[in-house]
Amino acid sequence: MPPTPRVVLDRARLQANVDRMAATAAERGQALRPHAKTHKCPQVAALQLAAGAVGLTVATLGEAEAFAEAGCGDLLIAYPVWWTSDQAWRAAELATRVRLAVGVDSVEGVQHLAELWQVPRGRTREPAAGPVALPELVVEVDSGHHRSGCAPQEARAVARAGIETGFVVRGLFTFPGHSYTPAGRREVVRQEADAVAEAARGLRAAGVPTPHVSGGSTPSVALEEAGFDELRPGVYVFGDAQQWELGTCAPQDIALTVHSTVVSHAGGRLVLDAGSKALGADRAGWATGFGRLLDHPGARIEVLSEHHAVAVLPDGEPLPPRGSVVRVVPNHVCNAVNLAEELLVADDGVVTERWPVAARGRNS
């Protein structure tokens, strides 16, 4: 067994999570396009696709290239891209090999891409660079998270700009990131449904007869039924301490943990050899700690440094002995995975495979 900290994936729980979400989408007649930034791993993607996912969502062009290399043929880069000419060329080449869509949320963003893609369309680079094609555009709509995305009433103008500059406009997408909250998720889902309905009307008026509507997140997907052609949850595949605390997964659903050795009992607390460089440092304002211990549900990681974590257990609960290994549930599993080079896949607690985190660091 490799030394700690090590990232371990329970195969049975992983498969159960994959199958459960696939069944939810199928029962509703919705497509499933999981966000692969959570796992960054071709083997996990293969399980999702085999269970019926229509393709993958990715965060960057680099991630798209990594999953295309692994055989995924349908990819959505779900953010409003603003690329260099080199990135535009890479995307145009990628679009000859896979069905590729990219996000836009402004008329200026569409015009920027149109200007960039005059280079690939004009074939001004060396012929050895190969053939090129244009990705489809998907308009991002802000449904209340207030990160990126145009206002619903602006979607028509963005779509019209795409059509007028020669792109295929597939439809629209949104990310209800404000669903990551202990309360109010039904209101978030209502806001999301209202926003995409208004934006879809705008796209139809712009000349997109049947706009494809994509939305959803792991905390909100259970409540989203009408108005969406496609769901894009990501964290569901592994689970994490945030989802555990939100109640959107149970401890028995958590498939990925960071195994960490107890190195000290200083101060009557549990000191572990996994810090922020293994777990990630995310902590939402409502979170009760920097992570949890799978086998000690009442424990919380209260102090996190680069290479150590300090966990506090409930009064009266004995500390695991020094030298023992505990299973840490990171707050935000996407960050923990991006810090790892490989996932150790376990069957009944025995590591049987090593899966590379192939898209690790592919941030541009």
Side-chain angles (χ1 to χ4, degrees), residues 7-17 47 237-238 252-257 259 294 327 343-350 355:
V7 181
V8 180
L9 188 55
D10 184 300
R11 190 195 305 268
R13 292 186 178 191
L14 166 65
Q15 188 65 62
N17 292 342
L47 294 177
V237 75
F238 292 152
Q252 61 267 26
D253 301 324
I254 293 171
L256 184 145
T257 53
H259 289 200
L294 188 59
R327 297 187 291 177
L343 308 177
L344 304 179
V345 184
D347 294 282
D348 296 323
V350 178
W355 291 350

Side-chain angles (χ1 to χ4, degrees), residues 14-256:
L14 166 65
Q15 188 65 62
N17 292 342
V18 168
D19 292 343
R20 188 183 307 112
M21 188 62 72
T24 295
E27 288 166 5
R28 298 176 182 178
Q30 295 168 321
L32 179 63
R33 184 181 296 275
H35 209 313
K37 74 178 179 66
T38 295
H39 56 73
K40 292 179 173 278
C41 177
Q43 287 86 348
V44 176
L47 294 177
Q48 294 173 316
L49 294 168
V54 296
L56 299 177
T57 305
V58 295
T60 68
L61 177 58
E63 287 184 356
E65 290 169 329
F67 284 105
E69 291 162 9
C72 180
D74 193 328
L75 297 161
L76 165 64
I77 302 176
Y79 79 106
V81 299
W82 195 277
W83 283 333
T84 65
S85 59
D86 181 68
Q87 288 173 307
W89 182 266
R90 286 164 51 194
E93 291 178 322
L94 182 60
T96 67
R97 297 186 281 120
V98 302
R99 186 187 185 204
L100 180 66
V102 301
V104 290
D105 72 350
S106 66
V107 171
E108 293 80 5
V110 172
Q111 293 170 341
H112 174 69
L113 290 178
E115 292 169 4
L116 287 178
W117 269 311
Q118 294 305 314
V119 175
R121 290 164 75 182
R123 304 292 185 89
T124 60
R125 297 184 84 178
E126 293 298 322
V132 295
L134 292 185
E136 300 173 27
L137 299 187
V138 186
V139 179
E140 183 178 12
V141 175
D142 179 10
S143 57
H145 183 42
H146 303 321
R147 184 179 64 185
S148 56
C150 66
Q153 63 270 24
E154 296 171 358
R156 176 178 179 175
V158 178
R160 171 55 63 186
I163 294 169
E164 290 177 348
T165 49
F167 290 99
V168 172
V169 178
R170 179 188 301 179
L172 64 96
F173 75 100
T174 190
F175 172 57
H178 52 318
S179 62
Y180 282 72
T181 177
R185 281 198 291 276
R186 288 193 180 278
E187 173 61 18
V188 169
V189 169
R190 186 196 63 76
Q191 293 173 2
E192 184 186 18
D194 290 348
V196 299
E198 181 176 356
R201 288 193 293 270
L203 262 67
R204 285 191 289 269
V208 184
T210 54
H212 189 75
V213 179
S214 177
S217 66
T218 296
S220 64
V221 72
L223 302 174
E224 291 159 323
E225 296 189 17
F228 295 92
D229 302 299
E230 178 178 278
L231 300 173
R232 298 191 330 278
V235 177
Y236 79 92
V237 75
F238 292 152
D240 59 18
Q242 288 187 147
Q243 300 303 323
W244 184 358
E245 191 154 344
L246 290 172
T248 53
C249 77
Q252 61 267 26
D253 301 324
I254 293 171
L256 184 145

